[in-house]
């Protein structure tokens, strides 16, 4: 079985396993106590903090360990907003932030605060100028991920951080996906990350608040981790997290170059071997191990199951794989195809033969899923304007039905698709973009929403 989902969680690094086992014997006591066992645990905790701080590029007393990356984000955002409440209650986030950031923003808005989502381009990247334009005199905090968790696009963090510093606004960076590959550049103010993304144990996050940043923790006061992370420190897990971060950093340059060659191969080959497939995300400024593509006329959940049966563990941002039946907010913000979405994120040590086997298997799997869904070539014939009724049917059916009848209308003719699946709002325009046809827009209908497409070729 080939595990290609390290963007969700990386396998435990061998160094993390060794450090964890050793620390279970030596670091089990309360590091706040003055007896021998407590002092030993405190030494291990302090050493781990020093190691992690060196990797991040901050002072040890600026870094605390939390119970998860999500907890670090929640604490960082709420604490920074509270610390700057006299400035205002305006929060800025990019439209493609992790759900942990967006959920915190929703709560802030529900509590009376104001939130601005900064849009991204089709590659998933924000523009520093766009970020600057969204800043206001009452902006208390801005948030920007270092690299996107779904498509791998790296953000211009250093440039945005300079913009924020010039405006006197702290920038919080979610570095969960990138910290294992290198430090985050620029004068950011806060940073959050999660150990299981780089091969450390789950249940360990880190939060950095640089000196001079106004910060007021919103949880009940505690004595642990400078009052910013409640609860008894999991010293063995923290030690393993710091040790693995140092280890993956030592390997990062070589692994990045090697894995980038493999993901470049996937980016180039998928459109060649799979008809009607779109590779998304920035082709250059991206994480070295991650590549995402979407396939027309494919149900994402079925595709993932079939790839799993073929020996490949991958992930997806398709609405068809979501309990909410709504497209990934990242893909939606980018304006790219959401159906049949596959995210491949390679672990360190992945061999070229594994990637070649994946590329050999993928075309047959996609073709098989398309056959199950009844997707075929454009239907021949002639006629005028056509209407397709796909109300009550999930993705990818609306686009499949569009493709089936599209060949029946002459150049200049239109096809109207009636659908009530939220994914159609994203996937029908994306289909037009991929096929070189004209999307005329949408309007309310007695049965769902009407999406209108004109045939131009």
């Amino acid at each position: 079985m080939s595990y290609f989902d390290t963007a969700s969680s990386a396998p435990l690094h061998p160094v993390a396993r060794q450090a964890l086992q050793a620390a279970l014997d030596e670091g089990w006591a309360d590091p706040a106590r003055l007896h021998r066992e407590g002092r030993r645990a405190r030494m291990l905790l302090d050493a781990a903090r020093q190691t992690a701080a060196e990797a991040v590029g901050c002072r040890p007393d600026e870094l605390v360990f939390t119970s998860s990356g999500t907890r670090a984000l929640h604490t960082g955002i709420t604490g920074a907003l509270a610390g700057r409440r006299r400035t205002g209650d305006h929060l800025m986030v990019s439209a493609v932030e992790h759900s942990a950031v967006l959920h915190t923003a929703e709560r802030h808005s529900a509590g009376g605060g104001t939130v601005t989502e900064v849009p991204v381009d089709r590659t998933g990247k924000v523009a520093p100028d766009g970020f600057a334009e969204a800043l206001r005199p009452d902006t208390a905090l801005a948030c920007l991920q270092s690299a996107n968790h779904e498509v791998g696009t790296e953000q211009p963090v250093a440039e945005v951080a300079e913009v924020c510093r010039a405006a006197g606004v702290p920038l919080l960076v979610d570095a969960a996906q990138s910290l294992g590959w290198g430090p985050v550049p620029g004068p950011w103010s806060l940073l959050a990350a999660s150990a299981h993304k780089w091969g450390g144990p789950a249940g360990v996050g880190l939060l950095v608040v640089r000196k001079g940043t106004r910060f007021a923790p919103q949880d009940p006061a505690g004595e642990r981790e400078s009052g910013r992370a409640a609860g008894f420190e999991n010293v063995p897990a923290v030690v393993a997290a710091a040790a693995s971060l140092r280890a993956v950093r030592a390997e990062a340059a070589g692994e990045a170059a090697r894995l980038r060659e493999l993901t470049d191969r996937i980016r180039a080959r998928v459109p060649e071997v799979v008809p009607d497939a779109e590779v998304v995300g920035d082709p250059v400024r991206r994480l070295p191990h991650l590549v995402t593509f979407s396939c027309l006329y494919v149900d994402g959940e079925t595709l993932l199951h079939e790839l799993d049966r073929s020996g490949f563990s991958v992930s997806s941002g398709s609405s068809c794989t979501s309990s909410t039946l709504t497209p990934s907010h990242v893909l939606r913000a980018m304006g790219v195809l959401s159906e049949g979405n596959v995210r491949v994120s390679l672990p360190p040590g992945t061999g070229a033969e594994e990637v070649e086997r994946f590329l050999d298997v993928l075309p047959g799997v996609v073709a098989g899923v398309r056959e199950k869904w009844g997707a075929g070539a454009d239907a021949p014939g002639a006629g005028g304007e056509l209407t397709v009724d796909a109300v009550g049917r999930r993705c990818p059916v609306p686009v499949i039905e569009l493709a089936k009848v599209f060949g029946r209308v002459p150049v200049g003719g239109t096809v109207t698709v009636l659908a009530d699946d939220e994914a159609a709002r994203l996937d029908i325009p994306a289909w037009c973009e991929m096929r070189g046809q004209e999307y005329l827009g949408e309007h309310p209908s007695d049965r769902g929403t009407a999406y209108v497409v004109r045939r131009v070729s």
Side-chain angles (χ1 to χ4, degrees):
M1 192 75 183
S2 295
Y3 181 76
F4 287 175
D5 193 23
T6 54
S8 294
S9 188
L12 194 65
H13 194 283
V15 169
R17 187 181 303 277
Q18 296 169 3
L20 181 63
Q21 291 174 338
L24 286 171
D25 292 332
E26 298 294 329
W28 51 267
D30 186 346
R33 300 296 170 241
L34 298 180
H35 46 60
R36 181 182 296 108
E37 293 82 3
R39 295 197 304 272
R40 186 184 302 127
R42 170 55 64 182
M43 290 176 62
L44 289 172
L45 181 60
D46 289 346
R49 198 184 314 278
Q50 177 69 41
T51 297
E54 290 174 357
V56 171
C58 67
R59 294 169 38 159
D61 59 351
E62 295 174 329
L63 185 151
V64 299
F65 294 104
T66 66
S67 58
S68 68
T70 295
R71 179 72 263 177
L73 286 169
H74 291 172
T75 301
I77 295 171
T78 58
L81 287 172
R84 283 174 50 82
R85 61 168 59 93
R86 291 184 179 179
T87 297
D89 62 2
H90 180 228
L91 170 65
M92 286 174 51
V93 299
S94 86
V96 294
E97 294 300 307
H98 190 275
S99 58
V101 172
L102 298 183
H103 291 163
T104 310
E106 290 172 2
R107 183 175 180 180
H108 178 64
S109 178
T114 56
V115 178
T116 296
E117 281 195 8
V118 181
V120 297
D121 62 17
R122 193 171 173 82
T123 70
K125 187 184 302 180
V126 302
D129 290 346
F131 227 87
E133 291 172 2
L135 289 169
R136 305 185 336 199
D138 64 337
T139 302
L141 177 67
C143 299
L144 181 65
Q145 59 193 191
S146 53
N148 187 258
H149 50 290
E150 290 194 27
V151 301
T153 297
E154 293 181 338
Q155 298 290 359
V157 173
E159 296 94 324
V160 170
E162 289 288 357
V163 166
C164 290
R165 181 170 67 172
V169 174
L171 177 68
L172 182 149
V173 178
D174 174 7
Q177 290 295 335
S178 74
L179 193 60
W181 297 106
V184 178
W188 47 265
S189 301
L190 303 98
L191 180 144
S194 183
H196 73 98
K197 302 292 187 180
W198 65 68
V204 179
L206 58 84
L207 171 64
V208 178
V209 181
R210 279 181 162 160
K211 295 297 182 183
T213 302
R214 293 187 177 277
F215 192 84
Q218 293 305 285
D219 290 328
E223 294 76 31
R224 309 277 176 168
E225 295 299 294
S226 304
R228 294 173 181 170
F232 191 93
E233 296 97 339
N234 187 344
V235 175
V238 164
V239 169
S244 59
L245 180 55
R246 179 169 55 190
V248 298
R249 279 292 190 80
E251 305 160 352
E255 274 299 295
R258 199 179 64 80
L259 293 180
R260 189 174 292 276
E261 290 183 4
L262 298 180
T263 52
D264 281 344
R265 188 179 308 180
I266 296 173
R267 291 184 65 90
R269 290 273 298 282
V270 165
E272 294 176 355
V273 300
V274 179
D276 296 312
E278 178 184 24
V279 181
V280 299
D282 195 291
V284 177
R285 191 166 177 172
R286 61 179 178 85
L287 293 171
H289 69 304
L290 196 156
V291 58
T292 299
F293 57 89
S294 298
C295 306
L296 278 170
Y297 323 130
V298 170
D299 165 49
E301 184 174 1
T302 303
L303 180 57
L304 260 61
H305 284 318
E306 291 301 316
L307 285 171
D308 185 68
R309 290 177 60 185
S310 300
F312 297 96
S313 302
V314 298
S315 185
S316 174
S318 292
S319 61
C320 313
T321 64
S322 168
S323 60
T324 62
L325 301 183
T326 58
S328 150
H329 71 277
V330 172
L331 301 178
R332 184 172 63 245
M334 293 167 61
V336 298
L337 184 69
S338 72
E339 68 183 56
N341 179 260
V342 175
R343 180 185 68 183
V344 175
S345 47
L346 306 177
T350 300
E353 66 282 356
E354 289 184 272
V355 170
E356 284 299 322
R357 190 168 69 86
F358 175 76
L359 291 169
D360 288 342
V361 166
L362 181 66
V365 170
V366 173
V369 175
R370 284 174 173 167
E371 184 177 359
K372 288 180 181 179
W373 280 91
D378 295 343
E385 299 177 354
L386 292 177
T387 297
V388 174
D389 189 345
V391 174
R393 307 181 73 180
R394 288 176 50 196
C395 77
V397 173
V399 175
I400 290 175
E401 295 302 315
L402 167 63
K404 283 181 177 179
V405 305
F406 199 72
R408 298 179 187 171
V409 300
V411 173
T414 62
V415 175
T416 299
V417 182
L418 303 179
D420 56 358
D421 183 0
E422 179 66 23
R425 179 167 283 109
L426 179 63
D427 290 344
I428 290 176
W431 182 88
C432 294
E433 179 82 17
M434 292 176 67
R435 300 297 295 270
Q437 307 302 330
E438 183 181 3
Y439 178 62
L440 298 180
E442 64 176 77
H443 59 81
S445 168
D446 292 339
R447 305 188 69 247
T449 301
Y451 302 92
V452 186
V453 178
R454 174 181 287 137
R455 182 175 179 182
V456 298
S457 63

